[in-house]
């Protein structure tokens, strides 16, 4: 019921429309790759090809056009993620209504697989992808060979775990409350009752 209410209050933009928009944009960009590359090199003169014998290949155009696609799709993806975060925040606020959701969330946090943990990991991966791209782009646009001496310089992904609160307290508190109610029910059922005829 909480999930249904969250999707009703904060409906997600259509994923199909999002994918179609991405495809349309990529198709448009593919038609204008030469122009996009010229604009990219104008904005980044450090990547301009100085040697006239070198031709602009597929990857030169592809990298420049992918940057443009990423920038154009950014507002659409942000809107999509904002709606998802609103849904998750709404469920998070009302999770205490359902012991099942509370326990599931606590177990997910204990194992490091909660929504927050995933988002923390995803942001690090996106940032690392940008670092990786920035490291390799000069090789492509300056027509430099990637040699054996460049291997040690490759960026390394180091995952920084999310600082954890104490999620184990929630199941313990729920267990204590359940035990208390069970004990009260058990004691109440053992009291002798007068039988009236």
């Amino acid at each position: 019921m909480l999930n249904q209410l969250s999707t009703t209050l904060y409906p997600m933009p259509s994923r199909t429309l999002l994918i179609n928009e991405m495809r349309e944009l990529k198709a448009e960009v593919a038609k204008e790759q030469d122009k996009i590359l010229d604009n990219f090199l104008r904005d980044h003169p450090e990547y301009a090809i100085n040697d006239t014998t070198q031709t602009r290949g597929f990857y030169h155009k592809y990298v420049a056009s992918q940057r443009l696609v990423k920038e154009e799709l950014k507002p659409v993806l942000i809107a999509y993620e904002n709606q998802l975060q609103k849904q998750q925040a709404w469920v998070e606020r009302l999770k205490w209504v359902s012991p099942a959701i509370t326990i599931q969330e606590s177990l997910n946090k204990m194992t490091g697989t909660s929504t927050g943990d995933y988002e923390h990991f995803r942001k690090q991966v996106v940032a690392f992808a940008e670092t990786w791209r920035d490291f390799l782009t000069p090789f492509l646009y300056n027509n430099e060979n990637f040699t054996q001496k460049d291997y040690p310089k490759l960026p390394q992904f180091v995952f920084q775990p999310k600082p954890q609160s104490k999620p184990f307290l929630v199941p313990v508190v729920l267990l204590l409350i359940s035990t208390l109610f069970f004990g009260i029910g058990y004691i109440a059922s053992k009291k002798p009752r007068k039988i009236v005829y």
Side-chain angles (χ1 to χ4, degrees):
M1 194 170 86
L2 284 175
N3 285 334
Q4 288 298 320
L5 282 170
S6 70
T7 53
T8 304
L9 291 172
Y10 304 105
M12 293 297 292
S14 170
R15 189 161 180 81
T16 307
L17 291 175
L18 175 67
I19 291 168
N20 285 341
E21 193 169 336
M22 289 171 74
R23 286 180 180 160
E24 286 172 16
L25 182 60
K26 285 180 181 179
E28 287 174 25
V29 163
K31 292 175 190 172
E32 299 183 7
Q33 282 188 338
D34 287 324
K35 184 180 175 185
I36 291 166
L37 180 59
D38 288 338
N39 291 338
F40 175 76
L41 293 175
R42 195 174 300 115
D43 293 340
H44 300 277
E46 70 274 15
Y47 296 148
I49 301 169
N50 298 320
D51 187 355
T52 54
T53 62
Q54 295 289 340
T55 57
R56 295 175 182 168
F58 167 78
Y59 288 107
H60 293 91
K61 297 173 187 176
Y62 178 78
V63 170
S65 62
Q66 287 306 302
R67 284 179 182 264
L68 180 68
V69 168
K70 184 181 170 189
E71 289 169 15
E72 293 284 328
L73 286 176
K74 196 172 186 179
V76 178
L77 294 172
I78 286 172
Y80 190 88
E81 286 177 13
N82 284 345
Q83 283 297 94
L84 184 61
Q85 286 173 359
K86 286 177 185 175
Q87 281 184 3
Q88 291 167 349
W90 196 83
V91 172
E92 181 73 22
R93 280 196 301 270
L94 295 176
K95 72 179 180 182
W96 300 102
V97 174
S98 168
I101 292 176
T102 305
I103 292 292
Q104 183 66 48
E105 278 290 311
S106 299
L107 292 174
N108 287 346
K109 285 179 182 175
M110 287 168 68
T111 57
T113 58
S114 69
T115 305
D117 290 307
Y118 168 72
E119 196 57 31
H120 182 71
F121 169 75
R122 192 183 70 81
K123 284 178 181 173
Q124 288 183 57
V125 169
V126 169
F128 178 72
E130 197 61 37
T131 304
W132 184 265
R133 198 174 293 116
D134 290 342
F135 177 80
L136 294 174
T137 300
F139 287 97
L140 175 66
Y141 285 102
N142 293 328
N143 292 305
E144 295 176 13
N145 290 328
F146 187 85
T147 62
Q148 191 173 2
K149 67 179 175 57
D150 295 311
Y151 275 106
K153 298 176 191 171
L154 279 171
Q156 298 293 317
F157 179 72
V158 179
F159 175 62
Q160 300 295 328
K162 185 178 178 186
Q164 293 292 342
S165 54
K166 295 189 169 56
F168 61 86
L169 289 178
V170 176
V172 169
V173 169
L174 285 174
L175 181 65
L176 290 174
I177 292 170
S178 301
T179 305
L180 177 68
F181 282 125
F182 179 77
I184 291 170
Y186 181 77
I187 291 168
S189 70
K190 292 295 181 185
K191 282 186 178 178
R193 296 181 185 168
K194 290 183 179 178
I195 302 173
V196 179
Y197 294 99

